[in-house]
Amino acid sequence: MKTTLTTCPWCGTGCNFYLFTDERGQLSGVEPAAGHPVSRGQLCLKGWNAHAFVAHPERLTVPLYRRQGELVPCDWNSALDLLHERLSAIAERHGPDSLMFLASAKASNEENFLLMKLARAGFGTNNIDHCARLCHSSTVFGLAETLGSGAMTNSLDCFEQTDLVLVIGSNTTEQHPLIGSRILQAKQRGADLIVIDSRTIRLARHADLHLRPRNGTDVALLCGIMRQILADGLEDRDFIAARCENFAAFETSLRDCTPERVAAITGEPEEQLVAAARRFARAEKAMIVFAMGITQHSHGVDNVRALSNLALLTGNLGRPGTGINPLRGQNNVQGACDMGALPDVYSGYQKVSDPAVRKKFAAAWGVDLPEQPGLMATHAMEAAAEGRIRGMLIMGENPLLSEANQGLIRQALQKLEFLAVIDIFPTETAQLADLVLPAACYAERDGSYTSTERRVQRGRKAIEPPGEARADWQILRALLGRCGLQADDTGPEQTMMEISTLTPSYAGISYPRLEGAGLQWPCPEAEHPGTPILHVENCSRGKARFSPVTYRPSAEVPDTDYPFLLNTGRTGVHWHTGSMTRRSHLLDREEREPYVEIHPQDAARHQLKERQPLQISSRRGSIEALARITDRVPAGQLFIPFHFVEGAANALTNNALDPESGIPEFKVCAVRLQPC
Amino acid sequence: MLKQLAEKDLLRLLERIATRRRLLTPQRQSDGSRLLLPWPGGLPELVGTPLQRKPTEIFFPQLELLMELDNSGDVRLPVPADKPVALLGLDHFDLAAIAFLDRFFLSRPTDDAYLRRRHDALLVGLSGLAGPQGATLPPAETCDLELILVPDKLLARPHAKLGEELLAGFTAADPTALRAIDRSPAERPATLLAAARLLQEDQVPEAFWEEIAARCIACGGCNFACPTCNCFGVQDRTFGNRTERSRLWDSCQLDAFMREAGGHNPLGTETLRTRRRVYHKLVADPLRWGELGCVACGRCDRACPTGIGMLALCEDLVRR
Ligand code: SF4
Ligand code: SF4
Ligand code: SF4
């Protein structure tokens, strides 16, 4: 019997726990780390069950390649040779930019760094991206413009000091349960809570004010709130004068956002809007918390800009208990972004387009590096469908279920000349691959992960991977070697040294320093204690910038043919495409079937019964799901979680993209329903 | 007879125990918490915060193989460990919880998986000045032998024959040494008893449960952390020709805990589930076993992210 302290593999909260290993060398349970500042002896249901999928019989254990249509086993050397040869051949014939690499927010910092090195230095393309494109790309883009850094400005501790929490587009108690619980605790101790969400999520039941604007109208609502704050003279003049720029243009831009107009667009009564504005602006310290409800729109970046404007207008930045706090979804989505698994930046958001940056990386790696920023994941799928991307390597992602418009994604993946997938289970995407490499899961490899509050922490190996499965970093090192780059079998600790040399915000980070509670970046020197709160004296970009925005309707809204608005998201018990949680007994038992939430009025109008099978169709596809009649959703809206392959919400969703961040509009499209 | 153990005696005692048993002792982890782990030699970490993981886990693990079946119909039961286990450093809460689970699992029909691990296990209790920051732990007597920390001394007292044998040969202690610490027996907190009474008399309004349940995020932590919780689910996993049947901790705070295949759910709301958790321990258990199902160890309070563990909840209930 043995225990291993490690970081939770699910959400970006960053809880730590002990994994227990039994006499057979298998995981037998999980215990929260009592002394860790995030978990504090507590976990959510997924955390308590993080051991459950690891020994599942469907784990991939040998490399597989496609022969006469079938995936058949092969040895590692042939598999790696094949992968290298096929990608190189495509690059030679059609240019390196005909390749696409998808990194993973479930892989470690080191692995993301190695994959971005493989794409850039090994194959000569900046076509690397990962699922942050689908979740917080709008945040990274929006906050980089207004503040100079796209990350959560404050720390989780701040919930203990704040006077008010504004939660918008985040079902926090289900998606970041241990942050949701901090918000509930803040409310208990007397802080105010404003929830803006079209659904009556748990937090809404505790809120002082719950606003339910129509999905897709947040820009209008937020502008209305800000105009009201100005009308009441509740803005923070000193902060604006000392710390911000472009206020005049911003102020002018709000002129038309009168309560009447905003009420008409959002469906939210004027009094609610006025009350929210006053309550928010009067709080001495207010935290804004947001997630996918803000980002996953064809105007996701504008939503983020509006939130940034709201924080600046009221001076809620750079102090404890304030801030603009995007909650990052995956345990390492922050880290995957930090490591430069993005088409336009190297690690630490150093721009590909900057010649000095390119020179630095080229010197370190001893190769010439491509100048053109690469393709975003969403655009790469379009390009693949059109035959412009021909080879793809996907590490630990399942785009066939996770990206919008499944029909298009399937077509894209099938059209590829060569698709290789590194994963732990035979996911729906892996089924389409020409080569499948079995990976070690979080409990079987060492590495570091960066949580939503920018806390870099260790993941530690507890057990051996099954069969011949290997850690992603071992696979990537072997590929780097085949590309003629340094490929010794040194582990993640050495990779972190390379990261810290090349990445200013990680310069002070090393494995010995990560023991204990980890370090929050920026951590620029070996002695630096880390940075719990960003933008304290100055913003990363100097002055904070007001960025005026104008309301644009969603790309596809309900009409007579498709009368319902479809909202998609997740449940608290499943993780994304379910490849792990649907293989965890207790989690799987909680939600076994695809379902659709529908308001009682709509159910009555269509004479529907609870659990009745329904067919839901959009212009792009059609699925079946069981009716769940509930007033959690407003009338006219349907909500479907995207975990279920047998009722894939993303067969319906619209791949209308935000022009700046490339994020699809997962939160709004038009559908119709009929009983099966 | 009361004994006195110098450091080298304690080490000798541990060695004695370890010759016939797999000895688990409290060990401090990097985050400061103490866990029961195989004894690595040397002195155990006796003093500190309560054991983070409930020690009943040793007899009723979170995930446990029950049997293996193969396609030819053969059934294989797990082989019991070659040596029985010894748990050292159990406080009176831990011992009360083990006694509770023993009664539950070992009453007829006996649960053979539990028995397989529990059989012949040695329990070493701990009391005296071993609490957090030297706080006094009440007597821990439902065990084979008890270690008692008094100022400057470690005492040991047998409570069963096995304990006596293990302590044979060590120096006798002056019984007055015990007077240096408070030896009043542990009592269940008054609020817990008061809350139990209110519940038994059916005086708790529905609104109270609704309000508490609205704060439950269904993490299951209160159940997983509780040393007297004993509900489990069963899973089968097939690896080629072989099927493993295991059991795993379940939680009555989860929606599907009682949900039937057709969708009907007798515990279909979080209010019903929250009430059930408390009723079970404070009303149903006393009716069945003559004793509360809560030993007041405080683990669920520490594990609950939203502050509605048993003791917090009872305090709230009584206050109102
Ligand atoms: S809140 Fe997130 S990090 Fe914490 S246990 Fe749950 S899934 Fe893991
Ligand atoms: S205090 Fe909580 S964890 Fe401890 S026995 Fe009572 S109910 Fe169980
Ligand atoms: S620990 Fe608290 S939040 Fe978690 S299930 Fe129990 S009562 Fe609910």
Side-chain angles (χ1 to χ4, degrees), chain B residues 147-171:
Chain B
L147 300 176
I148 310 165
L149 199 60
V150 294
D152 311 322
K153 267 201 232 29
L154 184 66
L155 307 175
R157 171 186 266 173
H159 293 292
K161 197 155 148 276
L162 199 54
E164 245 161 58
E165 286 166 18
L166 284 164
L167 287 176
F170 291 111
T171 323

PDB file of all heavy atoms in Angstrom, chain B residues 147-171:
ATOM      1  N   LEU B 147      -1.978   3.202  23.773  1.00  0.00           N
ATOM      2  CA  LEU B 147      -0.822   4.037  24.088  1.00  0.00           C
ATOM      3  C   LEU B 147      -1.352   5.339  24.677  1.00  0.00           C
ATOM      4  O   LEU B 147      -2.296   5.928  24.140  1.00  0.00           O
ATOM      5  CB  LEU B 147      -0.004   4.336  22.830  1.00  0.00           C
ATOM      6  CG  LEU B 147       0.582   3.126  22.089  1.00  0.00           C
ATOM      7  CD1 LEU B 147       1.287   3.577  20.813  1.00  0.00           C
ATOM      8  CD2 LEU B 147       1.548   2.356  22.984  1.00  0.00           C
ATOM      9  N   ILE B 148      -0.749   5.765  25.775  1.00  0.00           N
ATOM     10  CA  ILE B 148      -1.249   6.974  26.456  1.00  0.00           C
ATOM     11  C   ILE B 148      -0.080   7.927  26.617  1.00  0.00           C
ATOM     12  O   ILE B 148       0.919   7.594  27.269  1.00  0.00           O
ATOM     13  CB  ILE B 148      -1.836   6.625  27.840  1.00  0.00           C
ATOM     14  CG1 ILE B 148      -2.826   5.453  27.717  1.00  0.00           C
ATOM     15  CG2 ILE B 148      -2.497   7.851  28.466  1.00  0.00           C
ATOM     16  CD1 ILE B 148      -3.181   4.805  29.043  1.00  0.00           C
ATOM     17  N   LEU B 149      -0.218   9.086  26.030  1.00  0.00           N
ATOM     18  CA  LEU B 149       0.862  10.059  26.123  1.00  0.00           C
ATOM     19  C   LEU B 149       0.590  10.981  27.318  1.00  0.00           C
ATOM     20  O   LEU B 149      -0.436  11.658  27.367  1.00  0.00           O
ATOM     21  CB  LEU B 149       0.919  10.868  24.824  1.00  0.00           C
ATOM     22  CG  LEU B 149       2.201  11.612  24.509  1.00  0.00           C
ATOM     23  CD1 LEU B 149       3.378  10.644  24.393  1.00  0.00           C
ATOM     24  CD2 LEU B 149       2.047  12.385  23.204  1.00  0.00           C
ATOM     25  N   VAL B 150       1.511  10.950  28.295  1.00  0.00           N
ATOM     26  CA  VAL B 150       1.411  11.874  29.433  1.00  0.00           C
ATOM     27  C   VAL B 150       2.665  12.751  29.367  1.00  0.00           C
ATOM     28  O   VAL B 150       3.564  12.467  28.579  1.00  0.00           O
ATOM     29  CB  VAL B 150       1.335  11.098  30.780  1.00  0.00           C
ATOM     30  CG1 VAL B 150       0.052  10.296  30.857  1.00  0.00           C
ATOM     31  CG2 VAL B 150       2.541  10.193  30.975  1.00  0.00           C
ATOM     32  N   PRO B 151       2.740  13.824  30.160  1.00  0.00           N
ATOM     33  CA  PRO B 151       3.929  14.671  30.036  1.00  0.00           C
ATOM     34  C   PRO B 151       5.193  13.822  30.192  1.00  0.00           C
ATOM     35  O   PRO B 151       5.312  13.061  31.147  1.00  0.00           O
ATOM     36  CB  PRO B 151       3.773  15.672  31.180  1.00  0.00           C
ATOM     37  CG  PRO B 151       2.314  15.708  31.465  1.00  0.00           C
ATOM     38  CD  PRO B 151       1.795  14.338  31.172  1.00  0.00           C
ATOM     39  N   ASP B 152       6.089  13.950  29.255  1.00  0.00           N
ATOM     40  CA  ASP B 152       7.413  13.291  29.269  1.00  0.00           C
ATOM     41  C   ASP B 152       7.392  11.774  29.188  1.00  0.00           C
ATOM     42  O   ASP B 152       8.425  11.140  29.338  1.00  0.00           O
ATOM     43  CB  ASP B 152       8.214  13.627  30.557  1.00  0.00           C
ATOM     44  CG  ASP B 152       8.222  15.101  30.833  1.00  0.00           C
ATOM     45  OD1 ASP B 152       8.318  15.837  29.842  1.00  0.00           O
ATOM     46  OD2 ASP B 152       8.095  15.497  31.998  1.00  0.00           O
ATOM     47  N   LYS B 153       6.235  11.160  29.041  1.00  0.00           N
ATOM     48  CA  LYS B 153       6.233   9.690  29.086  1.00  0.00           C
ATOM     49  C   LYS B 153       5.206   9.120  28.131  1.00  0.00           C
ATOM     50  O   LYS B 153       4.152   9.734  27.890  1.00  0.00           O
ATOM     51  CB  LYS B 153       5.827   9.218  30.501  1.00  0.00           C
ATOM     52  CG  LYS B 153       6.988   8.958  31.431  1.00  0.00           C
ATOM     53  CD  LYS B 153       6.511   8.032  32.534  1.00  0.00           C
ATOM     54  CE  LYS B 153       6.773   8.481  33.931  1.00  0.00           C
ATOM     55  NZ  LYS B 153       6.869   9.781  34.419  1.00  0.00           N
ATOM     56  N   LEU B 154       5.531   7.952  27.628  1.00  0.00           N
ATOM     57  CA  LEU B 154       4.527   7.194  26.891  1.00  0.00           C
ATOM     58  C   LEU B 154       4.154   5.973  27.725  1.00  0.00           C
ATOM     59  O   LEU B 154       5.014   5.188  28.106  1.00  0.00           O
ATOM     60  CB  LEU B 154       5.082   6.759  25.528  1.00  0.00           C
ATOM     61  CG  LEU B 154       4.078   6.031  24.642  1.00  0.00           C
ATOM     62  CD1 LEU B 154       2.935   6.952  24.225  1.00  0.00           C
ATOM     63  CD2 LEU B 154       4.771   5.474  23.397  1.00  0.00           C
ATOM     64  N   LEU B 155       2.867   5.855  28.029  1.00  0.00           N
ATOM     65  CA  LEU B 155       2.390   4.703  28.787  1.00  0.00           C
ATOM     66  C   LEU B 155       1.653   3.757  27.842  1.00  0.00           C
ATOM     67  O   LEU B 155       1.229   4.169  26.756  1.00  0.00           O
ATOM     68  CB  LEU B 155       1.430   5.157  29.885  1.00  0.00           C
ATOM     69  CG  LEU B 155       1.951   6.256  30.817  1.00  0.00           C
ATOM     70  CD1 LEU B 155       0.851   6.689  31.781  1.00  0.00           C
ATOM     71  CD2 LEU B 155       3.186   5.775  31.579  1.00  0.00           C
ATOM     72  N   ALA B 156       1.530   2.513  28.265  1.00  0.00           N
ATOM     73  CA  ALA B 156       0.790   1.550  27.452  1.00  0.00           C
ATOM     74  C   ALA B 156      -0.045   0.677  28.366  1.00  0.00           C
ATOM     75  O   ALA B 156       0.419   0.250  29.421  1.00  0.00           O
ATOM     76  CB  ALA B 156       1.754   0.703  26.631  1.00  0.00           C
ATOM     77  N   ARG B 157      -1.287   0.453  27.933  1.00  0.00           N
ATOM     78  CA  ARG B 157      -2.158  -0.355  28.775  1.00  0.00           C
ATOM     79  C   ARG B 157      -2.868  -1.387  27.896  1.00  0.00           C
ATOM     80  O   ARG B 157      -3.463  -1.031  26.880  1.00  0.00           O
ATOM     81  CB  ARG B 157      -3.195   0.553  29.442  1.00  0.00           C
ATOM     82  CG  ARG B 157      -4.271  -0.199  30.167  1.00  0.00           C
ATOM     83  CD  ARG B 157      -5.314   0.738  30.675  1.00  0.00           C
ATOM     84  NE  ARG B 157      -5.035   1.135  32.043  1.00  0.00           N
ATOM     85  CZ  ARG B 157      -5.720   2.059  32.696  1.00  0.00           C
ATOM     86  NH1 ARG B 157      -6.671   2.730  32.079  1.00  0.00           N
ATOM     87  NH2 ARG B 157      -5.442   2.347  33.935  1.00  0.00           N
ATOM     88  N   PRO B 158      -2.804  -2.658  28.278  1.00  0.00           N
ATOM     89  CA  PRO B 158      -3.485  -3.674  27.467  1.00  0.00           C
ATOM     90  C   PRO B 158      -4.985  -3.666  27.757  1.00  0.00           C
ATOM     91  O   PRO B 158      -5.398  -3.388  28.882  1.00  0.00           O
ATOM     92  CB  PRO B 158      -2.850  -4.974  27.959  1.00  0.00           C
ATOM     93  CG  PRO B 158      -2.401  -4.681  29.351  1.00  0.00           C
ATOM     94  CD  PRO B 158      -2.085  -3.226  29.432  1.00  0.00           C
ATOM     95  N   HIS B 159      -5.792  -3.951  26.721  1.00  0.00           N
ATOM     96  CA  HIS B 159      -7.230  -4.109  26.930  1.00  0.00           C
ATOM     97  C   HIS B 159      -7.707  -5.475  26.468  1.00  0.00           C
ATOM     98  O   HIS B 159      -8.892  -5.757  26.510  1.00  0.00           O
ATOM     99  CB  HIS B 159      -7.995  -3.010  26.188  1.00  0.00           C
ATOM    100  CG  HIS B 159      -7.755  -1.641  26.751  1.00  0.00           C
ATOM    101  ND1 HIS B 159      -8.199  -1.244  27.988  1.00  0.00           N
ATOM    102  CD2 HIS B 159      -7.089  -0.584  26.253  1.00  0.00           C
ATOM    103  CE1 HIS B 159      -7.839   0.002  28.223  1.00  0.00           C
ATOM    104  NE2 HIS B 159      -7.150   0.431  27.179  1.00  0.00           N
ATOM    105  N   ALA B 160      -6.774  -6.299  26.000  1.00  0.00           N
ATOM    106  CA  ALA B 160      -7.126  -7.650  25.566  1.00  0.00           C
ATOM    107  C   ALA B 160      -5.894  -8.524  25.739  1.00  0.00           C
ATOM    108  O   ALA B 160      -4.793  -8.022  25.945  1.00  0.00           O
ATOM    109  CB  ALA B 160      -7.575  -7.637  24.104  1.00  0.00           C
ATOM    110  N   LYS B 161      -6.127  -9.818  25.592  1.00  0.00           N
ATOM    111  CA  LYS B 161      -5.046 -10.763  25.848  1.00  0.00           C
ATOM    112  C   LYS B 161      -3.850 -10.495  24.923  1.00  0.00           C
ATOM    113  O   LYS B 161      -2.697 -10.500  25.356  1.00  0.00           O
ATOM    114  CB  LYS B 161      -5.571 -12.188  25.622  1.00  0.00           C
ATOM    115  CG  LYS B 161      -4.691 -13.223  26.232  1.00  0.00           C
ATOM    116  CD  LYS B 161      -5.464 -14.497  26.556  1.00  0.00           C
ATOM    117  CE  LYS B 161      -4.529 -15.679  26.396  1.00  0.00           C
ATOM    118  NZ  LYS B 161      -4.392 -16.178  25.011  1.00  0.00           N
ATOM    119  N   LEU B 162      -4.182 -10.239  23.675  1.00  0.00           N
ATOM    120  CA  LEU B 162      -3.127  -9.983  22.687  1.00  0.00           C
ATOM    121  C   LEU B 162      -2.257  -8.796  23.105  1.00  0.00           C
ATOM    122  O   LEU B 162      -1.032  -8.827  23.006  1.00  0.00           O
ATOM    123  CB  LEU B 162      -3.809  -9.680  21.346  1.00  0.00           C
ATOM    124  CG  LEU B 162      -2.981  -9.819  20.087  1.00  0.00           C
ATOM    125  CD1 LEU B 162      -2.341 -11.187  19.997  1.00  0.00           C
ATOM    126  CD2 LEU B 162      -3.899  -9.586  18.888  1.00  0.00           C
ATOM    127  N   GLY B 163      -2.924  -7.778  23.611  1.00  0.00           N
ATOM    128  CA  GLY B 163      -2.199  -6.606  24.076  1.00  0.00           C
ATOM    129  C   GLY B 163      -1.291  -6.943  25.239  1.00  0.00           C
ATOM    130  O   GLY B 163      -0.137  -6.494  25.299  1.00  0.00           O
ATOM    131  N   GLU B 164      -1.799  -7.756  26.129  1.00  0.00           N
ATOM    132  CA  GLU B 164      -0.994  -8.167  27.281  1.00  0.00           C
ATOM    133  C   GLU B 164       0.258  -8.907  26.835  1.00  0.00           C
ATOM    134  O   GLU B 164       1.361  -8.637  27.309  1.00  0.00           O
ATOM    135  CB  GLU B 164      -1.825  -9.098  28.169  1.00  0.00           C
ATOM    136  CG  GLU B 164      -2.110  -8.524  29.537  1.00  0.00           C
ATOM    137  CD  GLU B 164      -3.283  -9.248  30.187  1.00  0.00           C
ATOM    138  OE1 GLU B 164      -3.185 -10.482  30.346  1.00  0.00           O
ATOM    139  OE2 GLU B 164      -4.293  -8.566  30.474  1.00  0.00           O
ATOM    140  N   GLU B 165       0.081  -9.813  25.890  1.00  0.00           N
ATOM    141  CA  GLU B 165       1.234 -10.576  25.401  1.00  0.00           C
ATOM    142  C   GLU B 165       2.270  -9.661  24.787  1.00  0.00           C
ATOM    143  O   GLU B 165       3.472  -9.800  25.014  1.00  0.00           O
ATOM    144  CB  GLU B 165       0.785 -11.587  24.345  1.00  0.00           C
ATOM    145  CG  GLU B 165       0.054 -12.775  24.940  1.00  0.00           C
ATOM    146  CD  GLU B 165      -0.680 -13.595  23.874  1.00  0.00           C
ATOM    147  OE1 GLU B 165      -0.352 -13.450  22.666  1.00  0.00           O
ATOM    148  OE2 GLU B 165      -1.598 -14.342  24.263  1.00  0.00           O
ATOM    149  N   LEU B 166       1.781  -8.712  24.030  1.00  0.00           N
ATOM    150  CA  LEU B 166       2.725  -7.823  23.341  1.00  0.00           C
ATOM    151  C   LEU B 166       3.482  -6.933  24.325  1.00  0.00           C
ATOM    152  O   LEU B 166       4.600  -6.516  24.065  1.00  0.00           O
ATOM    153  CB  LEU B 166       1.982  -6.953  22.318  1.00  0.00           C
ATOM    154  CG  LEU B 166       1.579  -7.686  21.037  1.00  0.00           C
ATOM    155  CD1 LEU B 166       0.537  -6.883  20.267  1.00  0.00           C
ATOM    156  CD2 LEU B 166       2.798  -7.957  20.159  1.00  0.00           C
ATOM    157  N   LEU B 167       2.827  -6.626  25.439  1.00  0.00           N
ATOM    158  CA  LEU B 167       3.463  -5.722  26.408  1.00  0.00           C
ATOM    159  C   LEU B 167       4.306  -6.462  27.444  1.00  0.00           C
ATOM    160  O   LEU B 167       4.953  -5.835  28.290  1.00  0.00           O
ATOM    161  CB  LEU B 167       2.400  -4.881  27.123  1.00  0.00           C
ATOM    162  CG  LEU B 167       1.768  -3.767  26.272  1.00  0.00           C
ATOM    163  CD1 LEU B 167       0.666  -3.072  27.048  1.00  0.00           C
ATOM    164  CD2 LEU B 167       2.804  -2.765  25.793  1.00  0.00           C
ATOM    165  N   ALA B 168       4.287  -7.787  27.358  1.00  0.00           N
ATOM    166  CA  ALA B 168       5.024  -8.563  28.356  1.00  0.00           C
ATOM    167  C   ALA B 168       6.494  -8.152  28.358  1.00  0.00           C
ATOM    168  O   ALA B 168       7.096  -7.933  27.312  1.00  0.00           O
ATOM    169  CB  ALA B 168       4.889 -10.049  28.046  1.00  0.00           C
ATOM    170  N   GLY B 169       7.032  -8.016  29.551  1.00  0.00           N
ATOM    171  CA  GLY B 169       8.463  -7.751  29.653  1.00  0.00           C
ATOM    172  C   GLY B 169       8.818  -6.283  29.733  1.00  0.00           C
ATOM    173  O   GLY B 169       9.936  -5.937  30.087  1.00  0.00           O
ATOM    174  N   PHE B 170       7.879  -5.383  29.402  1.00  0.00           N
ATOM    175  CA  PHE B 170       8.205  -3.958  29.514  1.00  0.00           C
ATOM    176  C   PHE B 170       8.033  -3.488  30.960  1.00  0.00           C
ATOM    177  O   PHE B 170       7.272  -4.076  31.736  1.00  0.00           O
ATOM    178  CB  PHE B 170       7.334  -3.114  28.565  1.00  0.00           C
ATOM    179  CG  PHE B 170       7.656  -3.338  27.116  1.00  0.00           C
ATOM    180  CD1 PHE B 170       6.756  -3.979  26.268  1.00  0.00           C
ATOM    181  CD2 PHE B 170       8.881  -2.941  26.597  1.00  0.00           C
ATOM    182  CE1 PHE B 170       7.054  -4.204  24.934  1.00  0.00           C
ATOM    183  CE2 PHE B 170       9.189  -3.157  25.260  1.00  0.00           C
ATOM    184  CZ  PHE B 170       8.274  -3.783  24.435  1.00  0.00           C
ATOM    185  N   THR B 171       8.709  -2.398  31.301  1.00  0.00           N
ATOM    186  CA  THR B 171       8.699  -1.882  32.669  1.00  0.00           C
ATOM    187  C   THR B 171       7.302  -1.454  33.101  1.00  0.00           C
ATOM    188  O   THR B 171       6.595  -0.770  32.351  1.00  0.00           O
ATOM    189  CB  THR B 171       9.607  -0.629  32.760  1.00  0.00           C
ATOM    190  OG1 THR B 171      10.728  -0.844  31.927  1.00  0.00           O
ATOM    191  CG2 THR B 171      10.004  -0.332  34.183  1.00  0.00           C
TER     192      THR B 171
END
